[in-house]
Amino acid sequence: MTARVLCIAGTNTDIGKTVAAAAIVAAARAAGRRVVYVKPAQTGLQPGEHGSDADEIRRLAGEVETHEFVRLPDPLAPAAAARVAGVGIPTVAGHAASLAELARRDDVDLVVAEGAGGLLVQLDTEGGTQADLARALLDDGIDCGFVVIADPVLGTLNLCALTQEALDHRGLPCDGYVFGTWPTDGEVPLVLEQNVLDLPRVTGRSLLGRIPSGAGRLDTATFTASAPTWLTLPGTKASSGTGA
């Protein structure tokens, strides 16, 4: 049996996707899963420069195995960053083959693959997207699905509905949605409360959890102990809360 590949997509940028991915990694490890984190395409950093998404995953979730398949210096979508840099990058098919190799290892239960932004951001110069990456994995017999990270603010329901429509159109499984930042001080704005109620209706998928604002500033021990209370992963015991 192969490990599952859980693709992490966002509905926008700067919405807490990497911190949410770290929480997913930490929660899965707390549930006894052997987890590998992958960032197929890291942009905005020079080779050897610290501060990658994989670095952030290890800082928050502990000493987890991480992989980065390609790095590009400009903070752009991978295809655009490769064009500006004048370099070739792996194709989506190449990324899928590398992920499948990890998923087929005997010592891995879950591969968490964080995309670059949204579902249809181009990961290669041939127009391949994270959606195409997931389709290639499924066609190769790899169990694969999505968790979508969203901002809980006004307008998110439309972005989530559009993302879900794109997933459904391509026949790609989606486990559910996570709000990447959730206020912990003071009264929760009315629109956020209503979005919690409405998101399952507009997407047909569950809201799996809410990551507290400021979670990315926690130390490793506090983050890993708290992450299982912020979200519920499919196939794991229900969490005791959502960080709200």
Side-chain angles (χ1 to χ4, degrees):
M1 178 180 292
T2 63
R4 187 157 202 255
V5 176
L6 189 62
C7 295
I8 310 298
T11 57
N12 211 327
T13 58
D14 297 325
I15 57 172
K17 179 164 60 66
T18 298
V19 175
I24 289 169
V25 169
R29 294 181 77 193
R33 296 186 186 181
R34 298 166 296 177
V35 184
V36 172
Y37 168 89
V38 176
K39 182 75 173 183
Q42 172 72 61
T43 64
L45 291 174
Q46 297 287 344
E49 185 178 356
H50 187 75
S52 69
D53 289 347
D55 290 334
E56 185 74 349
I57 295 294
R58 290 191 299 271
R59 183 182 69 81
L60 292 172
E63 286 302 316
V64 62
E65 181 182 338
T66 64
H67 296 269
E68 183 184 285
F69 293 159
V70 66
R71 177 176 290 200
L72 298 157
D74 294 292
L76 302 167
R83 182 175 64 245
V84 170
V87 298
I89 55 176
T91 64
V92 159
H95 288 321
S98 297
L99 284 167
E101 183 177 351
L102 290 171
R104 290 190 170 103
R105 279 174 34 184
D106 292 336
D107 61 342
V108 177
D109 300 315
L110 179 68
V111 178
V112 175
E114 182 185 354
L119 178 70
L120 300 185
V121 169
Q122 293 186 359
L123 297 180
D124 65 22
T125 55
E126 298 177 1
T129 66
Q130 191 178 17
D132 297 319
L133 175 60
R135 171 48 58 195
L137 287 167
L138 289 167
D139 289 347
D140 193 26
I142 303 297
D143 181 17
C144 178
F146 278 87
V147 168
V148 180
I149 314 303
D151 197 337
V153 298
L154 185 67
T156 197
L157 296 180
N158 180 63
L159 294 173
C160 291
L162 288 169
T163 299
Q164 190 60 51
E165 184 174 289
L167 288 165
D168 291 343
H169 178 71
R170 291 164 175 78
L172 299 174
C174 178
D175 292 343
Y177 289 72
V178 173
F179 284 149
T181 58
W182 189 261
T184 56
D185 296 327
E187 185 176 351
V188 175
L190 178 63
V191 64
L192 272 62
E193 293 179 343
Q194 295 305 305
N195 283 343
V196 169
L197 300 175
D198 288 335
L199 185 139
R201 176 179 57 81
V202 302
T203 64
R205 300 296 186 277
S206 297
L207 178 62
L208 300 174
R210 293 166 270 177
I211 310 301
S213 297
R217 296 191 295 271
L218 296 175
D219 61 78
T220 304
T222 304
F223 188 93
T224 55
S226 302
T229 73
W230 299 334
L231 51 82
T232 301
L233 298 180
T236 65
K237 184 178 179 180
S239 65
S240 58
T242 57

